[in-house]
Amino acid sequence: AERGSEPHAMKNCNAFLLWIFLLSGFCGLIYESIWAHYLKLILGHAAYAQAVVLVVFVGGMALGAWLAGRFSERIRQPLLLYAAAEALVALMAFGFHAVFVEASAWALDWLLPTTCSGTGNCWAGWLLAAALILPGAVLLGSTYPLMSAAVLRRGGAPGHTLALLYFSNSLGAAVGVLVCGYWMVPELGLPGTLLLSGALNALVALAAWVCNSWPERAAAAQRPQVATAGAGGSAWLLWVAALTGASSFIYEVVWIRMLAQVLGAATHAFELMLASFILGLALGGWWIRKRIDGLQQPERLLARVQIAMGLAAVATLPLYLWCFDAMAYTLYALSRSAGAYLLYSLASAAMAMAVMLPASICAGMTLPLITAVLLRRGGGERQIGHVYSANTLGAIVGVLLAVHLLLPAVGLKWSLASGALIDLLLGALILWRAARAAWQPRAWVPLLGAAAVCLLALALTAATTFQPERIASGVFRSGTPHLRVDNRVLYQRDGRTASITVVQASNGTRSLRTNGKSDGATDPQSRVATEDDRTVLLLGALGPAHHPRARHAAVVGLGTGLTSSVLLKVGALESVETIEIEPMMLEAAQYFRPRNAAVFDDPRSRIVIDDARAHFARSAKRYDLIVSEPSNPWVSGVASLFGTEFYERAADKLTPDGVFVQWLQLYEASPQMVASIIRAFAGVFPEFRVYGSNPEDVVLVGRRGGTPLQLSPRAFELPGLREQLAPIGIDSAALLAAHDLGRGSFVRMVVDAWGAPPNSDYFPYVDNRAARDRFTGVSATALQEQGASAVPLLEFGPGAPWYAGQVTHADDAMPRRVRDLASGWHGARYLRGQPLEPAERKLIGGYLKEYELTRNWLWACVPLTRDDLWDAALVVAGEVNPALNAAQANALWREVLAGPCRKHLRPQQRIWLELFAAVGARDARLSVAAADQLLEQAAALSPLQHDYVLLAATTARIALGQREQARLLFDRERVRLGPEREQQPRFRYLALALRAPPRPPDQSQPAPAPTSTSENKR
């Protein structure tokens, strides 16, 4: 009875081992992803750095598989050794983060700067990477041969067993990709993900040990297998395993690059693509499991699978073009909401699977088939490890070949065709060998058939046209599968890290696009000023304006080249290094001459092809200015350039008084995402300011220590600054300074209240939510409105900024704050009866009726017929006071109080005018006195009147140090606000200010500029 129960027990044990191996695959893919992320913090994201990570990890797995196969037949208990390997991997996972932090600190502080050049390859970094993950990769590579040997010794058909193991491990890996990207990293961060994966590995090790200890196990489970002599002459199958691994990963690289232009290049999109590819491998193993052992000539099936794989790969080319229309329809059908993001992700996954599954299913059949053939020929257990090792080494070659040779040389379409030709020729050669082995008279017939199929594949490839207008459409953002008809593609190349396109619009503006996403638009002839111009020109100008003595600068990202060009033309910089990760970007940037000519022609300019953080890690050079303008944070790998660790590394490369300048988008970004970036920035650069460059972008300017940041009234004396900013309408230091959104302490308080943690490499908050923010189209432009208020909330303590009263013009493309200052300036002129030009009237056009009522009442003595018309004066005061300096605003209202219309004023109206004068003068004591009188009759005030008085009374008390009285007053009066009014930026700020601890007064404001003669005349 006991012996009769052994087969059933063995069957149960084998099924249990399949579940164990599924969990092992789940953890293994997580390690590959997380360890690669860690290593890129040292090596960077450049193409050669990615190659290093691939060679170390995948090469380690190949070595582990080969070693396990080499010694498999001498191992008495392979399952016990498998459990030991999983346990060691778990131990590595538990300690990896702590070891990495110490090792990377040592490498960044000493090893890399000492042993590496500023650019190019760095053997020391490669050796460190190998030391950190190679042992774990070797252990992971050994698991498939060891588990296969353990299960095979327990009985069962070899082919069926191997296919099932391959299926379960691959399925676990596919699930691991998604769970890791969508849940583990967002919730646990990288360290927590490693700890949880380590715990799961420990569970796997324990389960394998328990299964190995079952008393019902067969004696054969411990008996080594010895190869017979029949294995000779089968080495060519290892070459087949290697070549099919190479072709499969050529497909993977090309598909991911192709689909990035449909789905976007976000991290989650890459995870969906990778999961689809691995799922195909798993399904291939599942499909072949019941067929493999009954085959009379498995080589023939292997040949047919290879040919089918090549044809399926080429067939994805027209299917890929269809995906543009599918994505356009998906975006048309879905609302841009957080709930619809799940449907969008499912649709993206469906497109990825439609492209990848057919060929990857074929790829999933090849490894079990080749292994089964070798076992059938008596090759023994060692062949399992050797086939797996050969296939893995082929994968390395395929990725390197695709990234570094095929894509730059022949582009996406023909790179895919190259992989297909490998599979088609392999299939033909296998059929030819099988025919020769069977002594068939026409063994050459398969070769003719294969030649015909190859010609068919080449014809299909040539017939499929990748229309540049479709490839560059950015359909994942625009929702349209092609460019506008008036746009023309001037340049398109597939680089090592991205596909680059230059598109020209009908007005002459040219756009630089990376994987279909615009990374900058400008007119090379400077005839049109774009919104991007406003950002990149300010990026180049604000650094020298805050640090006029700067001599050496670095720019992260070439883009259109305008930022580097501005730096070369402003001030007296001796060198400007532009660090660009994609070599093809240099070719594309040539299409923006002559505007960026200085970047290529000025001898002070140097372009470095490298990852920025890796370059800073290896270089010993220090800079006075670093300007960072990478791509958008939702692009995979870019979010790390908006995190604490990158800012710390960049700060270490600055001279003691150095300045760091950072571009930051507010469009397609939630307040929480923007807050996470600004908190990371402020944590490294506590002395910082935020400038609005246009209504949807800001520029952060920070200094780690030293003197406070200030923009001097003499900034425009800096050589070249006026000329560079003239195209965007900034013609004075006052107008430039007016782009400032407020003190750093104010901005820090606002973003702290948005409740997001600082973005970090180890806890990547931004990377995990940026793609969803892009899809939903949320905006953080409220940051530019936080300080906007009828009462100048930020000025009672430090006083009006020096540029108040000097901003006399603005255009619609400037931030709202600048337009409000110019509007208020001309509004004051209108009140006094001065004539306005049409453009000046346009600035105050939205409030022209209120200005007219107020002017007629206060200057022409036309009585107000209704008390509610008094609100017009409130609107006017709210526009005028923030736009004028203290003396100008106080004089305006005192002129009314002393003017001929004073006898028509009722007592309460006089109090209102006294309040306007006190607020304009930024006089906290007089503001409190006037506001308190009005609050005594709060019930009679309109909502607009109540808001104004409450803001004045509360903010002035804070400035006087009466914080507790201010809080009590605000709590008493806020019941009248209601939920909607209470959420307005001005009241949100007030609530934050009353909750926050007192901060030292801001010392960064320079002395007021001397008043000009022309201003006195006005």
Side-chain angles (χ1 to χ4, degrees):
E2 270 185 32
R3 278 195 292 272
S5 68
E6 282 182 5
H8 180 68
M10 290 167 57
K11 183 176 180 180
N12 288 340
C13 186
N14 282 356
F16 185 54
L17 289 177
L18 287 175
W19 285 103
I20 290 175
F21 208 40
L22 185 145
L23 188 56
S24 176
F26 176 89
C27 296
L29 212 290
I30 291 174
Y31 292 133
E32 179 179 358
S33 173
I34 299 300
W35 285 346
H37 190 104
Y38 271 102
L39 291 187
K40 288 174 183 177
L41 301 182
I42 298 176
L43 302 176
H45 289 76
Y48 73 85
Q50 296 180 26
V52 172
V53 174
L54 174 78
V55 169
V56 171
F57 185 84
V58 182
M61 291 188 66
L63 177 60
W66 182 84
L67 289 172
R70 176 74 175 80
F71 298 103
S72 173
E73 294 159 359
R74 306 178 192 176
I75 300 171
R76 294 191 59 82
Q77 298 191 52
L79 190 57
L80 191 60
L81 195 58
Y82 169 84
E86 296 281 7
L88 288 173
V89 171
L91 289 176
M92 283 194 63
F94 293 146
F96 185 85
H97 180 75
V99 171
F100 179 84
V101 169
E102 294 297 324
S104 62
W106 169 71
L108 295 173
D109 292 338
W110 181 84
L111 177 66
L112 300 183
T114 303
T115 60
C116 303
S117 62
T119 60
N121 302 333
C122 178
W123 288 99
W126 297 8
L127 291 174
L128 178 62
L132 287 169
I133 71 167
L134 188 60
V138 171
L139 290 169
L140 289 173
S142 70
T143 57
Y144 181 76
L146 290 173
M147 176 62 82
S148 299
V151 176
L152 286 175
R153 293 185 192 182
R154 294 172 184 269
H160 181 270
T161 299
L162 291 172
L164 268 182
L165 284 172
Y166 190 72
F167 161 75
S168 64
N169 196 249
S170 299
L171 182 63
V175 175
V177 172
L178 299 178
V179 174
C180 177
Y182 281 86
W183 180 77
M184 294 177 76
V185 172
E187 294 298 325
L188 307 175
L190 301 187
T193 300
L194 278 178
L195 290 176
L196 179 57
S197 299
L200 293 176
N201 263 116
L203 181 63
V204 166
L206 178 62
W209 178 79
V210 169
C211 191
N212 186 72
S213 304
W214 283 1
E216 295 89 353
R217 69 183 184 274
Q222 297 186 29
R223 188 167 58 247
Q225 304 291 310
V226 181
T228 66
S234 299
W236 67 275
L237 283 170
L238 296 181
W239 282 101
V240 173
L243 289 172
T244 193
S247 65
S248 300
F249 276 79
I250 289 174
Y251 300 151
E252 182 188 15
V253 170
V254 175
W255 284 333
I256 287 177
R257 179 71 65 80
M258 287 163 53
L259 287 169
Q261 299 173 76
V262 177
L263 312 182
T267 297
H268 284 338
F270 285 131
E271 289 161 352
L272 290 174
M273 294 181 237
L274 181 59
S276 299
F277 181 78
I278 299 174
L279 177 62
L281 299 179
L283 293 177
W286 176 260
W287 186 88
I288 202 71
R289 76 194 191 286
K290 290 186 177 180
R291 298 167 174 82
I292 194 168
D293 291 303
L295 294 172
Q296 296 299 318
Q297 293 182 309
E299 292 92 339
R300 292 186 179 276
L301 178 59
L302 176 61
R304 289 193 288 269
V305 167
Q306 294 287 165
I307 293 171
M309 180 160 52
L311 289 175
V314 173
T316 61
L317 294 175
L319 185 63
Y320 160 64
L321 297 177
W322 167 84
C323 287
F324 285 88
D325 298 300
M327 176 55 72
Y329 178 78
T330 299
L331 293 177
Y332 172 78
L334 294 178
S335 64
R336 297 299 183 95
S337 64
Y341 182 68
L342 175 60
L343 297 177
Y344 169 78
S345 298
L346 292 175
S348 298
M351 293 177 217
M353 286 190 286
V355 170
M356 292 183 166
L357 279 186
S360 60
I361 287 174
C362 294
M365 301 179 199
T366 56
L367 190 141
L369 266 173
I370 294 170
T371 310
V373 170
L374 288 171
L375 289 177
R376 183 177 296 187
R377 293 183 177 186
E381 289 175 2
R382 70 172 60 190
Q383 300 300 332
I384 301 171
H386 291 171
V387 171
Y388 189 85
S389 177
N391 188 258
T392 307
L393 288 173
I396 296 175
V397 173
V399 172
L400 297 179
L401 189 66
V403 170
H404 293 274
L405 180 61
L406 292 175
L407 285 176
V410 298
L412 289 170
K413 184 173 69 171
W414 291 106
S415 295
L416 191 75
S418 301
L421 286 176
I422 293 174
D423 282 325
L424 294 173
L425 292 175
L426 273 179
L429 289 173
I430 296 170
L431 284 176
W432 177 70
R433 284 186 62 93
R436 283 191 59 191
W439 296 96
Q440 292 181 358
R442 292 192 294 272
W444 47 269
V445 172
L447 295 179
L448 290 179
V453 172
C454 288
L455 290 175
L456 175 64
L458 292 173
L460 180 60
T461 303
T464 305
T465 303
F466 279 14
Q467 304 97 329
E469 295 76 16
R470 183 172 288 255
I471 303 301
S473 65
V475 61
F476 52 88
R477 293 181 73 201
S478 66
T480 57
H482 48 73
L483 294 174
R484 292 173 44 180
V485 293
D486 58 344
N487 286 351
R488 182 164 59 95
V489 174
L490 302 180
Y491 171 89
Q492 187 171 60
R493 287 289 301 275
D494 298 308
R496 295 175 182 175
T497 61
S499 297
I500 311 298
T501 312
V502 177
V503 177
Q504 179 168 297
S506 57
N507 64 354
T509 300
R510 293 180 179 179
S511 172
L512 178 67
R513 305 195 176 200
T514 305
N515 290 331
K517 187 201 74 66
S518 177
D519 273 332
T522 189
D523 180 2
Q525 305 300 327
S526 304
R527 295 164 298 191
V528 179
T530 67
E531 287 193 5
D532 287 339
D533 284 344
R534 298 180 181 278
T535 298
V536 296
L537 294 180
L538 279 176
L539 277 168
L542 284 171
H546 284 87
H547 193 355
R549 297 183 303 278
R551 292 294 177 265
H552 303 284
V555 180
V556 179
L558 174 62
T560 59
L562 260 64
T563 298
S564 298
S565 180
V566 171
L567 284 170
L568 290 163
K569 296 174 182 177
V570 173
L573 287 169
E574 297 173 3
S575 68
V576 175
E577 283 186 4
T578 305
I579 308 163
E580 173 56 52
I581 195 171
E582 173 51 57
M584 293 298 175
M585 196 70 78
L586 273 67
E587 293 184 11
Q590 299 288 342
Y591 285 81
F592 295 89
R593 285 176 175 268
R595 197 162 185 187
N596 64 359
V599 181
F600 301 101
D601 301 338
D602 195 310
R604 297 172 297 157
S605 174
R606 176 172 174 251
I607 299 177
V608 178
I609 302 299
D610 202 354
D611 176 87
R613 67 186 307 147
H615 176 71
F616 289 149
R618 293 192 297 265
S619 174
K621 186 175 181 178
R622 293 189 178 274
Y623 307 91
D624 302 300
L625 294 176
I626 295 178
V627 180
S628 181
E629 52 168 341
S631 192
N632 301 67
W634 57 263
V635 176
S636 179
V638 174
S640 65
L641 297 179
F642 292 89
T644 299
E645 290 79 10
F646 174 69
Y647 292 142
E648 289 175 343
R649 181 52 42 194
D652 289 341
K653 294 300 175 183
L654 286 171
T655 55
D657 228 19
V659 170
F660 188 91
V661 184
Q662 170 77 67
W663 164 77
L664 178 59
Q665 70 178 84
L666 300 182
Y667 61 94
E668 298 178 343
S670 63
Q672 291 76 19
M673 191 190 93
V674 170
S676 179
I677 294 172
I678 295 180
R679 291 193 68 191
F681 188 89
V684 178
F685 302 103
E687 181 62 40
F688 77 100
R689 304 195 81 85
V690 182
Y691 292 85
S693 59
N694 59 49
E696 295 188 317
D697 291 292
V698 295
V699 177
L700 312 179
V701 182
R703 177 181 282 136
R704 194 163 200 175
T707 57
L709 278 172
Q710 58 184 17
L711 192 60
S712 168
R714 309 164 79 90
F716 261 57
E717 296 176 6
L718 194 66
L721 187 63
R722 182 182 299 273
E723 292 76 10
Q724 293 305 306
L725 294 181
I728 56 174
I730 300 177
D731 57 4
S732 68
L735 189 53
L736 176 60
H739 286 68
D740 189 356
L741 300 183
R743 304 192 302 274
S745 58
F746 156 71
V747 175
R748 189 183 296 111
M749 183 168 59
V750 170
V751 299
D752 285 353
W754 279 336
N759 188 42
S760 165
D761 288 327
Y762 303 128
F763 297 90
Y765 182 87
V766 170
D767 194 43
N768 291 317
R769 69 177 300 131
R772 182 170 67 249
D773 287 353
R774 177 188 61 76
F775 171 79
T776 56
V778 293
S779 171
T781 53
L783 179 65
Q784 294 204 23
E785 301 175 6
Q786 289 292 331
S789 172
V791 176
L793 306 175
L794 305 177
E795 300 173 11
F796 277 109
W802 65 265
Y803 53 82
Q806 299 184 48
V807 180
T808 60
H809 60 275
D811 58 52
D812 292 340
M814 290 182 178
R816 175 185 169 180
R817 171 176 170 78
V818 182
R819 287 179 278 129
D820 286 349
L821 291 174
S823 172
W825 164 259
H826 291 293
R829 293 179 59 222
Y830 183 82
L831 288 177
R832 287 194 166 108
Q834 298 179 22
L836 301 183
E837 299 292 333
E840 297 168 346
R841 291 178 68 89
K842 181 182 176 183
L843 276 171
I844 64 171
Y847 298 115
L848 196 57
K849 179 182 177 182
E850 286 81 0
Y851 274 107
E852 187 173 358
L853 281 170
T854 305
R855 184 177 69 176
N856 290 339
W857 173 56
L858 294 177
W859 271 267
C861 304
V862 177
L864 295 176
T865 56
R866 299 195 314 271
D867 285 344
D868 62 343
L869 293 178
W870 177 253
D871 284 356
L874 280 174
V875 171
V876 168
E879 284 286 298
V880 167
N881 275 339
L884 304 178
N885 63 38
Q888 292 167 339
N890 188 49
L892 175 70
W893 301 112
R894 295 297 170 190
E895 180 182 329
V896 174
L897 285 166
C901 299
R902 66 183 183 278
K903 58 185 177 182
H904 300 289
L905 297 174
R906 295 195 296 270
Q908 189 180 33
Q909 292 175 341
R910 184 176 291 276
I911 297 173
W912 272 107
L913 290 173
E914 291 284 357
L915 179 59
F916 293 162
V919 169
R922 283 72 166 178
D923 190 317
R925 294 188 183 280
L926 291 179
S927 296
V928 167
D932 284 354
Q933 291 184 66
L934 293 169
L935 281 174
E936 291 176 359
Q937 302 178 19
L941 300 176
S942 70
L944 187 63
Q945 295 166 4
H946 179 262
D947 289 359
Y948 191 97
V949 175
L950 179 58
L951 287 168
T954 312
T955 311
R957 278 183 165 84
I958 294 174
L960 293 172
Q962 301 171 7
R963 184 175 294 271
E964 183 60 22
Q965 295 95 316
R967 186 185 63 79
L968 292 173
L969 173 63
F970 186 69
D971 288 343
R972 186 189 77 197
E973 297 292 333
R974 70 194 305 177
V975 294
R976 287 198 57 191
L977 296 176
E980 185 175 345
R981 286 161 60 201
E982 193 172 349
Q983 288 305 309
Q984 294 176 357
R986 51 191 177 178
F987 287 116
R988 281 179 54 83
Y989 164 73
L990 208 53
L992 294 171
L994 292 171
R995 194 167 66 227
R999 293 186 182 273
D1002 183 71
Q1003 302 295 326
S1004 64
Q1005 295 288 353
T1011 306
S1012 67
T1013 305
S1014 59
E1015 182 179 313
N1016 285 335
K1017 289 180 180 178
R1018 281 197 293 269

